Every structure is written in structure tokens, then in C-alpha cells.
Amino acid sequence: MTAYALAHLLPQPPLHDDVFVYIERIQDTMDPFGGRFLVHATDAEVIEGPFEGGYVLIEFPDMERAHAWYESDAYQAILPMRTDNMRGTAVFLQGVPPDYDAAATGRAMRAAQAAAQAG
């Protein structure tokens, strides 16, 4: 099932040259694992709440390849170029199947909460 790497980054201009090198090299680290950018360096249209920084969203074929990319020697070699020069948070997210039903999820969450409160 599709997995995603999501980063919320808070750049502080002027950017260190290492950040540019990181950006120039990251795609080569993702290619062997089937990673591709879905969102990268795009302007956000804020529709609710406060917003600071920017987001990067990378798609991988599955969670195993997302982890393999992050843990790869190639990515680990460039990662400090970003983390040493930019604040942010990165997470992995499991995608949902094509037949995902949000209503069924809501019902299951409601039932779980009711059972916990009764219990």
C-alpha cells in the first residue's frame, strides 16, 4: 500500500548552501526506492488556521521502501545538510486502500470510544 514521507519545514533565510546541495541531490536518493515528489517548494493557499513554513510530500510504493530510502547510505549522507540548517518535522504516513470508507472509519472510532468509556 502506498506510503508517504511528509516534512513540515521551517526555513530561515538566507538558506545555507548545504540546503541547496541537499535539494539538488535528494531525487537521486529516492529513485532506487520508487520515491517521487507530490509536493515540493510550492506556495500554500491557507484556508484555515495559522501557517508557517512549507511542506514536502513524497510518495513511495509502500512503507518498506519509504523506510529503506530514509535509512539508505545515500540519503543519510545528505540528511545533515538539511537538518543542520533548517528546523522541521518529518513523518511517514501509511496511505489508505482504494476502497477506503471514511464513514466506516468514523463508525469504528465511535464504537471504540464508547467501549473505552463503558469499560
PDB file of all heavy atoms in Angstrom, residues 42-64:
ATOM      1  N   THR A  42       6.195  24.387  -3.161  1.00  0.00           N
ATOM      2  CA  THR A  42       5.031  25.041  -3.756  1.00  0.00           C
ATOM      3  C   THR A  42       4.446  26.032  -2.756  1.00  0.00           C
ATOM      4  O   THR A  42       4.613  25.896  -1.546  1.00  0.00           O
ATOM      5  CB  THR A  42       3.950  24.011  -4.132  1.00  0.00           C
ATOM      6  OG1 THR A  42       3.586  23.266  -2.968  1.00  0.00           O
ATOM      7  CG2 THR A  42       4.437  23.060  -5.198  1.00  0.00           C
ATOM      8  N   ASP A  43       3.766  27.032  -3.254  1.00  0.00           N
ATOM      9  CA  ASP A  43       3.110  28.002  -2.385  1.00  0.00           C
ATOM     10  C   ASP A  43       1.845  27.382  -1.805  1.00  0.00           C
ATOM     11  O   ASP A  43       1.089  26.699  -2.511  1.00  0.00           O
ATOM     12  CB  ASP A  43       2.735  29.256  -3.176  1.00  0.00           C
ATOM     13  CG  ASP A  43       3.961  30.036  -3.609  1.00  0.00           C
ATOM     14  OD1 ASP A  43       4.974  30.006  -2.887  1.00  0.00           O
ATOM     15  OD2 ASP A  43       3.901  30.672  -4.670  1.00  0.00           O
ATOM     16  N   ALA A  44       1.630  27.635  -0.517  1.00  0.00           N
ATOM     17  CA  ALA A  44       0.440  27.125   0.152  1.00  0.00           C
ATOM     18  C   ALA A  44      -0.670  28.156   0.086  1.00  0.00           C
ATOM     19  O   ALA A  44      -0.431  29.355   0.252  1.00  0.00           O
ATOM     20  CB  ALA A  44       0.752  26.793   1.606  1.00  0.00           C
ATOM     21  N   GLU A  45      -1.859  27.694  -0.165  1.00  0.00           N
ATOM     22  CA  GLU A  45      -3.041  28.537  -0.077  1.00  0.00           C
ATOM     23  C   GLU A  45      -3.714  28.196   1.247  1.00  0.00           C
ATOM     24  O   GLU A  45      -4.361  27.157   1.372  1.00  0.00           O
ATOM     25  CB  GLU A  45      -3.993  28.259  -1.240  1.00  0.00           C
ATOM     26  CG  GLU A  45      -5.214  29.120  -1.213  1.00  0.00           C
ATOM     27  CD  GLU A  45      -6.149  28.840  -2.377  1.00  0.00           C
ATOM     28  OE1 GLU A  45      -5.692  28.342  -3.421  1.00  0.00           O
ATOM     29  OE2 GLU A  45      -7.352  29.121  -2.222  1.00  0.00           O
ATOM     30  N   VAL A  46      -3.526  29.030   2.235  1.00  0.00           N
ATOM     31  CA  VAL A  46      -4.024  28.766   3.577  1.00  0.00           C
ATOM     32  C   VAL A  46      -5.528  29.017   3.606  1.00  0.00           C
ATOM     33  O   VAL A  46      -5.983  30.107   3.268  1.00  0.00           O
ATOM     34  CB  VAL A  46      -3.300  29.641   4.618  1.00  0.00           C
ATOM     35  CG1 VAL A  46      -3.835  29.352   6.020  1.00  0.00           C
ATOM     36  CG2 VAL A  46      -1.800  29.408   4.547  1.00  0.00           C
ATOM     37  N   ILE A  47      -6.287  27.986   3.987  1.00  0.00           N
ATOM     38  CA  ILE A  47      -7.743  28.122   4.047  1.00  0.00           C
ATOM     39  C   ILE A  47      -8.283  28.043   5.472  1.00  0.00           C
ATOM     40  O   ILE A  47      -9.419  28.407   5.717  1.00  0.00           O
ATOM     41  CB  ILE A  47      -8.447  27.086   3.149  1.00  0.00           C
ATOM     42  CG1 ILE A  47      -8.060  25.660   3.538  1.00  0.00           C
ATOM     43  CG2 ILE A  47      -8.118  27.351   1.687  1.00  0.00           C
ATOM     44  CD1 ILE A  47      -8.870  24.590   2.864  1.00  0.00           C
ATOM     45  N   GLU A  48      -7.459  27.546   6.425  1.00  0.00           N
ATOM     46  CA  GLU A  48      -7.851  27.510   7.828  1.00  0.00           C
ATOM     47  C   GLU A  48      -6.616  27.593   8.700  1.00  0.00           C
ATOM     48  O   GLU A  48      -5.611  26.950   8.410  1.00  0.00           O
ATOM     49  CB  GLU A  48      -8.578  26.198   8.174  1.00  0.00           C
ATOM     50  CG  GLU A  48      -9.955  26.067   7.633  1.00  0.00           C
ATOM     51  CD  GLU A  48     -10.636  24.795   8.116  1.00  0.00           C
ATOM     52  OE1 GLU A  48     -10.307  24.301   9.209  1.00  0.00           O
ATOM     53  OE2 GLU A  48     -11.492  24.294   7.386  1.00  0.00           O
ATOM     54  N   GLY A  49      -6.705  28.318   9.777  1.00  0.00           N
ATOM     55  CA  GLY A  49      -5.675  28.338  10.803  1.00  0.00           C
ATOM     56  C   GLY A  49      -4.372  28.990  10.396  1.00  0.00           C
ATOM     57  O   GLY A  49      -4.191  29.409   9.261  1.00  0.00           O
ATOM     58  N   PRO A  50      -3.462  29.055  11.374  1.00  0.00           N
ATOM     59  CA  PRO A  50      -2.154  29.663  11.099  1.00  0.00           C
ATOM     60  C   PRO A  50      -1.281  28.732  10.265  1.00  0.00           C
ATOM     61  O   PRO A  50      -1.454  27.508  10.288  1.00  0.00           O
ATOM     62  CB  PRO A  50      -1.562  29.859  12.498  1.00  0.00           C
ATOM     63  CG  PRO A  50      -2.233  28.834  13.334  1.00  0.00           C
ATOM     64  CD  PRO A  50      -3.602  28.637  12.756  1.00  0.00           C
ATOM     65  N   PHE A  51      -0.360  29.312   9.537  1.00  0.00           N
ATOM     66  CA  PHE A  51       0.536  28.520   8.699  1.00  0.00           C
ATOM     67  C   PHE A  51       1.915  29.138   8.725  1.00  0.00           C
ATOM     68  O   PHE A  51       2.064  30.356   8.586  1.00  0.00           O
ATOM     69  CB  PHE A  51       0.025  28.458   7.262  1.00  0.00           C
ATOM     70  CG  PHE A  51       0.916  27.669   6.350  1.00  0.00           C
ATOM     71  CD1 PHE A  51       0.872  26.289   6.351  1.00  0.00           C
ATOM     72  CD2 PHE A  51       1.827  28.304   5.526  1.00  0.00           C
ATOM     73  CE1 PHE A  51       1.705  25.548   5.524  1.00  0.00           C
ATOM     74  CE2 PHE A  51       2.659  27.580   4.687  1.00  0.00           C
ATOM     75  CZ  PHE A  51       2.600  26.197   4.697  1.00  0.00           C
ATOM     76  N   GLU A  52       2.906  28.297   8.893  1.00  0.00           N
ATOM     77  CA  GLU A  52       4.297  28.748   8.874  1.00  0.00           C
ATOM     78  C   GLU A  52       5.110  27.694   8.142  1.00  0.00           C
ATOM     79  O   GLU A  52       4.880  26.495   8.277  1.00  0.00           O
ATOM     80  CB  GLU A  52       4.819  28.897  10.307  1.00  0.00           C
ATOM     81  CG  GLU A  52       6.244  29.373  10.392  1.00  0.00           C
ATOM     82  CD  GLU A  52       6.752  29.443  11.824  1.00  0.00           C
ATOM     83  OE1 GLU A  52       6.031  29.065  12.752  1.00  0.00           O
ATOM     84  OE2 GLU A  52       7.900  29.880  11.988  1.00  0.00           O
ATOM     85  N   GLY A  53       6.050  28.135   7.361  1.00  0.00           N
ATOM     86  CA  GLY A  53       6.951  27.200   6.687  1.00  0.00           C
ATOM     87  C   GLY A  53       6.358  26.624   5.423  1.00  0.00           C
ATOM     88  O   GLY A  53       5.526  27.232   4.766  1.00  0.00           O
ATOM     89  N   GLY A  54       6.808  25.439   5.094  1.00  0.00           N
ATOM     90  CA  GLY A  54       6.343  24.767   3.892  1.00  0.00           C
ATOM     91  C   GLY A  54       6.303  23.266   4.080  1.00  0.00           C
ATOM     92  O   GLY A  54       6.819  22.735   5.074  1.00  0.00           O
ATOM     93  N   TYR A  55       5.692  22.583   3.141  1.00  0.00           N
ATOM     94  CA  TYR A  55       5.556  21.129   3.211  1.00  0.00           C
ATOM     95  C   TYR A  55       6.195  20.481   2.005  1.00  0.00           C
ATOM     96  O   TYR A  55       6.209  21.027   0.903  1.00  0.00           O
ATOM     97  CB  TYR A  55       4.077  20.730   3.270  1.00  0.00           C
ATOM     98  CG  TYR A  55       3.462  21.006   4.613  1.00  0.00           C
ATOM     99  CD1 TYR A  55       2.808  22.199   4.861  1.00  0.00           C
ATOM    100  CD2 TYR A  55       3.569  20.082   5.642  1.00  0.00           C
ATOM    101  CE1 TYR A  55       2.258  22.468   6.094  1.00  0.00           C
ATOM    102  CE2 TYR A  55       3.018  20.339   6.886  1.00  0.00           C
ATOM    103  CZ  TYR A  55       2.366  21.532   7.106  1.00  0.00           C
ATOM    104  OH  TYR A  55       1.825  21.796   8.334  1.00  0.00           O
ATOM    105  N   VAL A  56       6.702  19.286   2.246  1.00  0.00           N
ATOM    106  CA  VAL A  56       7.207  18.414   1.201  1.00  0.00           C
ATOM    107  C   VAL A  56       6.479  17.090   1.374  1.00  0.00           C
ATOM    108  O   VAL A  56       6.377  16.565   2.495  1.00  0.00           O
ATOM    109  CB  VAL A  56       8.732  18.203   1.325  1.00  0.00           C
ATOM    110  CG1 VAL A  56       9.220  17.180   0.310  1.00  0.00           C
ATOM    111  CG2 VAL A  56       9.461  19.521   1.165  1.00  0.00           C
ATOM    112  N   LEU A  57       5.944  16.553   0.286  1.00  0.00           N
ATOM    113  CA  LEU A  57       5.250  15.269   0.329  1.00  0.00           C
ATOM    114  C   LEU A  57       5.849  14.368  -0.739  1.00  0.00           C
ATOM    115  O   LEU A  57       5.863  14.724  -1.922  1.00  0.00           O
ATOM    116  CB  LEU A  57       3.754  15.466   0.076  1.00  0.00           C
ATOM    117  CG  LEU A  57       2.886  14.207   0.126  1.00  0.00           C
ATOM    118  CD1 LEU A  57       2.933  13.552   1.502  1.00  0.00           C
ATOM    119  CD2 LEU A  57       1.452  14.550  -0.266  1.00  0.00           C
ATOM    120  N   ILE A  58       6.365  13.218  -0.290  1.00  0.00           N
ATOM    121  CA  ILE A  58       6.990  12.251  -1.182  1.00  0.00           C
ATOM    122  C   ILE A  58       6.204  10.951  -1.108  1.00  0.00           C
ATOM    123  O   ILE A  58       5.887  10.472  -0.023  1.00  0.00           O
ATOM    124  CB  ILE A  58       8.458  11.995  -0.786  1.00  0.00           C
ATOM    125  CG1 ILE A  58       9.246  13.306  -0.762  1.00  0.00           C
ATOM    126  CG2 ILE A  58       9.105  10.982  -1.727  1.00  0.00           C
ATOM    127  CD1 ILE A  58      10.625  13.178  -0.142  1.00  0.00           C
ATOM    128  N   GLU A  59       5.901  10.393  -2.267  1.00  0.00           N
ATOM    129  CA  GLU A  59       5.155   9.139  -2.347  1.00  0.00           C
ATOM    130  C   GLU A  59       6.123   7.985  -2.588  1.00  0.00           C
ATOM    131  O   GLU A  59       7.057   8.104  -3.388  1.00  0.00           O
ATOM    132  CB  GLU A  59       4.162   9.219  -3.500  1.00  0.00           C
ATOM    133  CG  GLU A  59       3.363   7.946  -3.712  1.00  0.00           C
ATOM    134  CD  GLU A  59       2.465   8.054  -4.932  1.00  0.00           C
ATOM    135  OE1 GLU A  59       3.002   8.287  -6.045  1.00  0.00           O
ATOM    136  OE2 GLU A  59       1.247   7.944  -4.766  1.00  0.00           O
ATOM    137  N   PHE A  60       5.885   6.868  -1.898  1.00  0.00           N
ATOM    138  CA  PHE A  60       6.630   5.626  -2.101  1.00  0.00           C
ATOM    139  C   PHE A  60       5.634   4.494  -2.346  1.00  0.00           C
ATOM    140  O   PHE A  60       4.497   4.559  -1.885  1.00  0.00           O
ATOM    141  CB  PHE A  60       7.481   5.291  -0.866  1.00  0.00           C
ATOM    142  CG  PHE A  60       8.639   6.211  -0.687  1.00  0.00           C
ATOM    143  CD1 PHE A  60       8.526   7.351   0.097  1.00  0.00           C
ATOM    144  CD2 PHE A  60       9.855   5.964  -1.307  1.00  0.00           C
ATOM    145  CE1 PHE A  60       9.591   8.222   0.263  1.00  0.00           C
ATOM    146  CE2 PHE A  60      10.929   6.822  -1.149  1.00  0.00           C
ATOM    147  CZ  PHE A  60      10.794   7.956  -0.363  1.00  0.00           C
ATOM    148  N   PRO A  61       6.056   3.452  -3.050  1.00  0.00           N
ATOM    149  CA  PRO A  61       5.141   2.344  -3.318  1.00  0.00           C
ATOM    150  C   PRO A  61       4.614   1.667  -2.054  1.00  0.00           C
ATOM    151  O   PRO A  61       3.490   1.170  -2.036  1.00  0.00           O
ATOM    152  CB  PRO A  61       5.991   1.354  -4.129  1.00  0.00           C
ATOM    153  CG  PRO A  61       7.057   2.207  -4.760  1.00  0.00           C
ATOM    154  CD  PRO A  61       7.337   3.292  -3.757  1.00  0.00           C
ATOM    155  N   ASP A  62       5.418   1.665  -0.973  1.00  0.00           N
ATOM    156  CA  ASP A  62       4.986   1.044   0.270  1.00  0.00           C
ATOM    157  C   ASP A  62       5.868   1.550   1.409  1.00  0.00           C
ATOM    158  O   ASP A  62       6.877   2.224   1.187  1.00  0.00           O
ATOM    159  CB  ASP A  62       5.038  -0.490   0.178  1.00  0.00           C
ATOM    160  CG  ASP A  62       6.369  -1.009  -0.318  1.00  0.00           C
ATOM    161  OD1 ASP A  62       7.420  -0.592   0.224  1.00  0.00           O
ATOM    162  OD2 ASP A  62       6.374  -1.825  -1.259  1.00  0.00           O
ATOM    163  N   MET A  63       5.468   1.226   2.624  1.00  0.00           N
ATOM    164  CA  MET A  63       6.175   1.695   3.811  1.00  0.00           C
ATOM    165  C   MET A  63       7.592   1.120   3.884  1.00  0.00           C
ATOM    166  O   MET A  63       8.517   1.800   4.335  1.00  0.00           O
ATOM    167  CB  MET A  63       5.382   1.341   5.068  1.00  0.00           C
ATOM    168  CG  MET A  63       5.886   2.025   6.318  1.00  0.00           C
ATOM    169  SD  MET A  63       5.741   3.838   6.312  1.00  0.00           S
ATOM    170  CE  MET A  63       4.023   4.051   6.731  1.00  0.00           C
ATOM    171  N   GLU A  64       7.763  -0.116   3.425  1.00  0.00           N
ATOM    172  CA  GLU A  64       9.090  -0.732   3.473  1.00  0.00           C
ATOM    173  C   GLU A  64      10.093   0.063   2.637  1.00  0.00           C
ATOM    174  O   GLU A  64      11.232   0.299   3.061  1.00  0.00           O
ATOM    175  CB  GLU A  64       9.030  -2.188   2.999  1.00  0.00           C
ATOM    176  CG  GLU A  64       8.265  -3.112   3.920  1.00  0.00           C
ATOM    177  CD  GLU A  64       6.750  -2.965   3.841  1.00  0.00           C
ATOM    178  OE1 GLU A  64       6.220  -2.477   2.805  1.00  0.00           O
ATOM    179  OE2 GLU A  64       6.073  -3.312   4.839  1.00  0.00           O
TER     180      GLU A  64
END
